[in-house]
Amino acid sequence: MNEPAGLAATGGIVRPYGDTTGDGMVQLSFTLPIPHDARAEGAALQLAGKMGMAPAMVVHAKAMSEGFTFFVVYGSVTHLVDVSKVEVIEREYPLLPAKDVNAQIKRTLRRKLVVLGACIGTDAHTVGIDAILNVKGFAGEKGLEYYREMRVLNLGAQVSVPELVHRARAERCDAVLVSQVVTQRDAHLRNTRELSAAFREAMGTRRPLLVVGGPRFDPAMTDELGVDRIFGRGTTPGEVASYLVHAMGQHRGGAR
Amino acid sequence: MTIRPKLGLDGRTVRKARRLAQRATAPVVELAKTHTTVSVERAVLRLAGMTGTDPTLGSGEIPWVNRVVDTVRDQVGLEYGVALPVWHELRTGGYSSLDDLAEKVGSGSVQFAVPTGKDRDRAARAALAAARLGLSNIDRRRKERDRLIRRIGDPKQRPWIYLIVATGDIYEDIPQAQAAARAGADVVAVIRSTGQSLLDYVPEGATRQGFAGTYATQENFRLMRAALDDVSKEVGRYVRLTNYASGLCMPEIATLAGLERLDMMLNDSMYGILFRDINPIRTFVDQRFSRMVHARAGIIINTGEDNYLTTADAVDEAHTVTVSQLLNEAFAHEAGLADWQLGLGHAFEINPDIPESFRLELAHAMLARELFPDAPLKWMPPTKHMTGDVFRGYLLDGFFNLIGTMTGQGILLVGMMTEAVVTPWLSDRDLALQNVRYVLNAAGGLHEDFRPARGGFIAARAKQVLTEAVDLLDRIVDDGLLNAIADGTFGITKRPADRGRGLEGVVRRADGYHNPALELMEATGE
């Protein structure tokens, strides 16, 4: 083979690489819910074929539990990847490890970032705000309490909006995080509008960052609800922390 | 498997560490003896057999024990405990049963009073009789466990293999737990729904919806224990069941675990404070009661030291694990737990990129083994440095298993190569068990040959960690444990004693406080 490997030689079209350019080799493991026998191995090859692997080899098959078989399959895929057509969806902020979040707060604020969290209205479901704030965290990520450069105050459930505004002021907080689970008659939207209106009235442009989250929010509704950011289902503490330092960078002088 | 001491630890330093742990915990034990909590009082009612929920409140999720304790508190306070007013009312109010009384409380027709004189003695006697009956049920379940283990047998090997099940639906958990047992699990843990630790009541009934776990309820306990009894007979070894006595309802959940013959309970002395922001005093009061129940029920507790290492550096903060183990041991002994009941936790969480990480892990694990020779230590797999590279993760788990067998760990939580990627698949669990079996089979007797060089890297590291632990314990004794917690000594969170969840449920006992369950358990504990 005389052609140099890489994009230039293939015009942006690539295939997986085993040990030779263009061999298209991949490995795959999966379980089928059938007992291990010759038919099961045939079934595994059929699946590999439908996934674009040709030829494919079952290199390992093992009965597992009752009525299941685990397979490892190697083979060449017939598919091509056009790198020039790959679209990358950019998040507006980079995801940072806790260490970098702390360093950035230290550098830009030269004091701790103060975060206030609560569930407002009659919502007693603190699962969301606790997952983001408690050290215990969520999805293998530690909560914001874990960040040395943040001072986190979790007010818990059923906090009234005036109380929240009062505490935000008293604690000179940088960001207010509110989670909303209950969505009966759009309570989450009503509560959020009440929240943003109250902060606007009390503090104007010097209000803290307002961040809401919950499983039924549409992240595109920030303007409509008057908040800075909306997080949906499955958000992890690391995403929130990364967003906060990003937003503080943009917002400097605005808050407080 | 007994492992001969190999590190050459200085006996005087070890004794000093224990003495300091005792001194550090003594004032907190005193606090636990002079306070009660709503959950301790509710546990008394549960022990006496009060069950069910008030159908008219909310969507029917609030248990009667909450309604009754809250009502007693509103009317006469909890300073004397819930037993005196409840059994006085039960004796004199013409109720057919404790449940009948609860329903009348629900309808608002009961007016409680704290009895005095002869009435007090009579109420106390009636409460003692009810608590004695509840404790005898726990005793009966313990004997039943002993009988089943005699008949069916214990696992052939140590460590016991510990697997986790968590679907949120008890009826999905059951076949998964049985499959895990058939695949080799000696211990099955049912993970709780996220956030249950912050509920100030124990949900009721069989539950089918949880968040990343299944609610701990008495009925779920019963269903799962029965299912594991069936599979135990099939696989020829008694399969143990684990749940969580942590959070705001520790005493009640411990009681339910005793009544339903659970075998192990997660029960750390400081976890709720540090990781869930539960009030320190609430935690220590609840914890003492729950540990007394565990002692009585023959339950093995599992402590949560692994959690420190997921938040702090596993090398720099290794001594905080040792300190926490020593504190957990001191609290546990005081509450009547025997050494065989102390599943003290520790974990394989050192960054694998640092040089000699395996030797450091081995040193830490040996230190724990030699400090607590008669405790069935619980060895927890890597989580923090599992990156999604499942191949590297599988290798790390192999090294983790190797230390597990080399250091005679009692309980080995099986590591999954898909940690931090997905909840374990059927194949992940199978591969993980193959990993454990390979290592136990290939190196099960290695501890007989292995002896670290005298004064070498491993022995020196163990000594260093122990020395740092003693220094920290010294500071804690000077400072007071509550102040140390308030100052952020453990983990990095500051947890002052006058803050945190559940503080409103703490009550200082008055002279004349009566708790029949505590009285009976303390009498047998001495």
Side-chain angles (χ1 to χ4, degrees):
Chain A
M1 190 190 78
N2 297 322
E3 279 179 32
L7 293 185
T10 51
I13 304 289
V14 295
R15 302 182 73 197
Y17 182 98
D19 66 353
T20 311
T21 299
D23 62 15
M25 291 302 286
V26 297
Q27 58 185 358
L28 174 69
S29 65
F30 56 89
T31 303
L32 290 179
I34 46 178
H36 179 214
D37 54 19
R39 181 181 296 273
E41 296 201 12
L45 282 175
Q46 190 190 102
L47 175 66
K50 286 180 175 168
M51 293 174 76
M53 291 170 74
M57 288 178 290
V58 172
V59 299
H60 174 70
K62 179 180 173 287
M64 213 182 268
S65 202
E66 207 159 304
F68 293 89
T69 310
F70 176 68
F71 300 94
V72 179
V73 178
Y74 276 68
S76 173
V77 283
T78 53
H79 304 300
L80 302 175
V81 177
D82 185 347
V83 179
S84 66
K85 291 208 174 126
V86 173
E87 278 177 36
V88 182
I89 299 163
E90 309 269 2
R91 129 191 11 245
E92 80 268 28
Y93 56 93
L95 262 189
L96 303 175
K99 183 164 61 63
D100 296 359
V101 168
N102 286 330
Q104 200 156 323
I105 295 172
K106 233 176 176 165
R107 199 170 54 242
T108 56
L109 285 186
R110 295 201 191 84
R111 58 168 173 79
K112 295 204 172 186
L113 180 83
V114 183
V115 177
L116 193 61
C119 283
I120 56 174
T122 55
D123 198 341
H125 297 76
T126 58
V127 175
I129 195 75
D130 288 331
I132 301 299
L133 297 184
N134 274 187
V135 176
K136 174 75 182 168
F138 174 65
E141 288 183 13
K142 297 297 159 202
L144 301 191
E145 285 186 333
Y146 169 64
Y147 291 74
R148 283 176 195 275
E149 296 301 325
M150 291 194 192
R151 194 161 77 84
V152 173
L153 299 148
N154 187 348
L155 302 186
Q158 303 189 350
V159 177
S160 73
V161 168
E163 161 76 6
L164 192 59
V165 173
H166 171 74
R167 285 297 294 272
R169 240 199 198 139
E171 306 286 351
R172 300 173 56 81
C173 87
D174 298 295
V176 172
L177 270 52
V178 165
S179 81
Q180 295 273 280
V181 173
V182 174
T183 56
Q184 255 171 358
R185 288 184 302 255
D186 284 338
H188 61 308
L189 303 180
R190 223 175 37 245
N191 286 339
T192 306
R193 286 198 188 95
E194 186 192 338
L195 171 84
S196 59
F199 271 99
R200 200 166 48 237
E201 193 170 315
M203 305 173 82
T205 56
R206 294 181 58 81
R207 71 162 170 75
L209 279 174
L210 298 179
V211 179
V212 297
R216 297 268 175 269
F217 276 111
D218 175 357
M221 287 177 75
T222 47
D223 288 344
E224 200 176 320
L225 296 178
V227 297
D228 296 295
R229 187 69 161 82
I230 297 173
F231 286 101
R233 178 182 287 282
T235 302
T236 62
E239 291 174 295
V240 176
S242 300
Y243 165 75
L244 290 178
V245 292
H246 165 81
M248 291 313 299
Q250 308 242 307
H251 214 257
R252 284 193 64 195
R256 285 182 149 235
Chain B
M1 171 165 63
T2 44
I3 298 230
R4 282 170 297 134
K6 298 166 174 178
L7 289 170
L9 294 177
D10 175 32
R12 267 173 320 188
T13 314
V14 173
R15 282 191 296 279
K16 182 175 180 198
R18 282 222 156 75
R19 216 165 40 238
L20 287 169
Q22 184 114 40
R23 276 175 57 198
T25 52
V28 174
V29 169
E30 197 44 42
L31 211 57
K33 285 179 171 173
T34 51
H35 289 76
T36 186
T37 73
V38 286
S39 184
V40 165
E41 299 302 324
R42 295 193 299 248
V44 171
L45 297 180
R46 288 191 183 276
L47 193 64
M50 190 181 283
T51 57
T53 61
D54 182 348
T56 63
L57 205 68
S59 34
E61 74 277 18
I62 301 303
W64 284 121
V65 293
N66 286 61
R67 294 283 281 132
V68 172
V69 168
D70 290 349
T71 305
V72 169
R73 184 172 192 177
D74 288 348
Q75 293 181 357
V76 298
L78 284 180
E79 289 75 8
Y80 295 91
V82 79
L84 290 174
V86 164
W87 269 273
H88 175 63
E89 181 64 19
L90 194 61
R91 267 188 58 251
T92 56
Y95 304 95
S96 63
S97 67
L98 204 52
D99 288 344
D100 181 32
L101 169 70
E103 276 173 42
K104 300 269 170 27
V105 167
S107 67
S109 61
V110 179
Q111 182 60 49
F112 286 106
V114 179
T116 54
K118 283 217 161 54
D119 279 339
R120 182 193 189 280
D121 297 344
R122 289 194 192 101
R125 264 202 305 280
L128 275 168
R132 196 172 288 121
L133 200 65
L135 285 175
S136 74
N137 286 333
I138 289 180
D139 294 342
R140 203 158 40 76
R141 303 312 303 266
R142 179 175 179 163
K143 288 203 188 86
E144 188 176 63
R145 181 194 302 115
D146 292 343
R147 204 166 52 238
L148 283 168
I149 292 173
R150 267 200 311 279
R151 196 185 324 148
I152 305 175
D154 257 325
K156 283 190 198 62
Q157 89 297 328
R158 274 283 174 127
W160 291 342
I161 295 171
Y162 179 116
L163 277 176
I164 286 169
V165 169
T167 68
D169 177 349
I170 188 66
Y171 293 107
E172 283 288 333
D173 288 344
I174 284 173
Q176 286 214 12
Q178 290 182 322
R182 289 186 191 108
D186 302 314
V187 184
V188 172
V190 180
I191 291 226
R192 286 201 309 190
S193 176
T194 298
Q196 180 167 4
S197 50
L198 302 180
L199 289 180
D200 211 342
Y201 65 91
V202 182
E204 193 93 4
T207 66
R208 309 204 62 168
Q209 271 187 332
F211 305 92
T214 307
Y215 283 104
T217 75
Q218 182 165 12
E219 180 62 5
N220 287 349
F221 286 0
R222 191 186 68 76
L223 289 168
M224 186 56 91
R225 189 54 265 174
L228 290 182
D229 281 348
D230 288 343
V231 82
S232 293
K233 286 171 196 140
E234 185 189 316
V235 300
R237 58 194 149 76
Y238 181 74
V239 180
R240 286 174 169 78
L241 175 59
T242 301
N243 210 289
Y244 295 68
S246 60
L248 289 171
C249 294
M250 258 191 272
E252 295 170 86
I253 291 180
T255 304
L256 298 178
L259 289 170
E260 299 300 337
R261 192 174 22 95
L262 268 64
D263 307 283
M264 289 191 190
M265 296 299 276
L266 280 277
N267 187 234
D268 190 83
S269 61
M270 295 187 292
Y271 171 81
I273 302 169
L274 301 176
F275 294 89
R276 286 302 193 183
D277 195 13
I278 294 173
N279 173 259
I281 298 171
R282 171 77 181 254
T283 300
F284 287 123
V285 177
D286 283 352
Q287 185 217 155
R288 181 166 185 267
F289 186 96
S290 68
R291 287 188 171 189
M292 292 176 85
V293 175
H294 290 144
R296 178 82 177 215
I299 287 172
I300 295 173
I301 62 164
N302 291 188
T303 59
E305 282 81 0
D306 51 298
N307 288 290
Y308 298 120
L309 300 184
T310 59
T311 51
D313 184 85
V315 178
D316 296 344
E317 300 299 322
H319 62 289
T320 63
V321 169
T322 308
V323 166
S324 172
Q325 288 167 336
L326 287 160
L327 294 174
N328 261 311
E329 179 193 54
F331 280 126
H333 283 166
E334 192 281 327
L337 285 158
D339 282 335
W340 67 268
Q341 292 176 291
L342 306 186
L344 299 172
H346 57 150
F348 187 95
E349 292 282 20
I350 298 175
N351 182 350
D353 291 334
I354 73 163
E356 308 299 347
S357 67
F358 182 78
R359 288 166 93 191
L360 289 166
E361 294 281 13
L362 190 53
H364 298 173
M366 288 182 76
L367 174 62
R369 177 72 289 165
E370 295 196 10
L371 277 180
F372 309 99
D374 300 314
L377 301 179
K378 186 185 188 191
W379 184 225
M380 307 283 284
T383 57
K384 193 177 174 183
H385 299 286
M386 297 297 268
T387 57
D389 178 348
V390 296
F391 303 102
R392 173 168 135 134
Y394 198 66
L395 179 62
L396 274 188
D397 281 334
F399 274 51
F400 159 78
N401 291 333
L402 183 58
I403 289 185
T405 185
M406 280 177 80
T407 59
Q409 301 296 316
I411 305 157
L412 182 139
L413 198 156
V414 178
M416 297 288 151
M417 64 182 186
T418 47
E419 175 74 42
V421 181
V422 289
T423 53
W425 291 355
L426 185 76
S427 54
D428 297 334
R429 202 170 285 149
D430 192 88
L431 287 163
L433 284 168
Q434 285 185 55
N435 189 332
V436 172
R437 273 198 213 96
Y438 165 69
V439 174
L440 294 191
N441 190 39
L446 184 59
H447 65 92
E448 293 172 14
D449 305 307
F450 172 73
R451 177 175 285 275
R454 193 185 297 250
F457 182 91
I458 288 176
R461 174 62 189 169
K463 189 177 166 194
Q464 182 196 349
V465 173
L466 180 59
T467 308
E468 286 173 10
V470 168
D471 289 347
L472 178 55
L473 279 166
D474 245 332
R475 286 208 301 280
I476 292 171
V477 169
D478 283 349
D479 238 23
L481 182 56
L482 287 176
N483 291 330
I485 292 170
D487 296 343
T489 305
F490 300 95
I492 51 168
T493 37
K494 298 183 177 179
R495 303 300 194 199
D498 60 350
R499 299 268 280 279
R501 294 187 175 87
L503 174 62
E504 67 288 349
V506 180
V507 177
R508 195 176 173 82
R509 296 187 199 170
D511 288 341
Y513 169 83
H514 180 65
N515 184 323
L518 271 177
E519 195 172 313
L520 291 168
M521 291 191 294
E522 276 171 348
T524 51
E526 275 156 17

